[in-house]
Amino acid sequence: LHPEVGVTSTDGACFGRNYFNRASAPDTEDDEFADERAEILAEAAALKKLAADYLHPEVGVTSTDGAAFGRNFFNRASAPEVEDIELANERAAVLAEVDSLKKLAVDYLHPEVGVTSVDGAAFGRNYFNRASAPDTEDDEFADERAEV
């Protein structure tokens, strides 16, 4: 069993047909083009993986290499202390109250801004500008009337 030796034939009646180099054989790709096509497909697959990682950050990073490691900067001994949940909730409540007080102060100090309503059921009646309201005098006429 030595395939490297090759086949020798002394009989003129022994012949064979090459099915790959015949005229009616389908065209085959050159090795250079096949290698280039494989590189392009590998690059496209890598770009697809990067795009999927970018568009779906919720998937996370997985590693199977034992030498890959990281350091948790939040739970280390020298990390700054983190606020308790109760204190964080209290801080959020105080900040929400401060925000509402600020809004009230702005509304009080700037009456020209007016009141806006987004609720269709909230309505009121202006008793001073309605058609049946009694007529009021201007300040000039009131001053003249007081002088007389």
Side-chain angles (χ1 to χ4, degrees):
L1 297 176
H2 297 285
E4 68 274 359
V5 172
V7 178
T8 58
S9 176
T10 58
D11 188 7
C14 291
F15 60 91
R17 185 173 182 189
N18 187 345
Y19 289 97
F20 300 105
N21 293 334
R22 69 184 193 279
S24 62
D27 292 333
T28 57
E29 226 174 16
D30 291 338
D31 289 338
E32 295 174 10
F33 293 127
D35 293 340
E36 188 174 344
R37 180 187 303 259
E39 287 178 16
I40 291 172
L41 290 175
E43 288 177 5
L47 287 173
K48 180 181 178 184
K49 183 181 181 309
L50 286 174
D53 291 345
Y54 181 77
L55 290 175
H56 299 286
E58 70 275 4
V59 173
V61 178
T62 57
S63 176
T64 57
D65 188 9
F69 57 90
R71 182 174 178 190
N72 189 346
F73 290 96
F74 301 104
N75 293 334
R76 68 183 193 276
S78 63
E81 292 203 22
V82 181
E83 203 173 38
D84 289 340
I85 294 175
E86 295 174 0
L87 290 175
N89 291 339
E90 186 175 349
R91 180 188 305 262
V94 168
L95 289 175
E97 185 178 355
V98 167
D99 190 37
S100 66
L101 288 173
K102 179 183 175 186
K103 184 182 179 308
L104 286 174
V106 168
D107 290 345
Y108 181 76
L109 291 175
H110 298 284
E112 69 275 4
V113 172
V115 178
T116 58
S117 176
V118 293
D119 189 9
F123 57 89
R125 185 172 179 187
N126 188 347
Y127 289 97
F128 302 103
N129 294 334
R130 68 184 194 278
S132 61
D135 291 334
T136 57
E137 288 181 326
D138 290 340
D139 290 338
E140 297 173 6
F141 295 125
D143 293 339
E144 286 182 16
R145 182 182 302 261
E147 287 178 9
V148 172

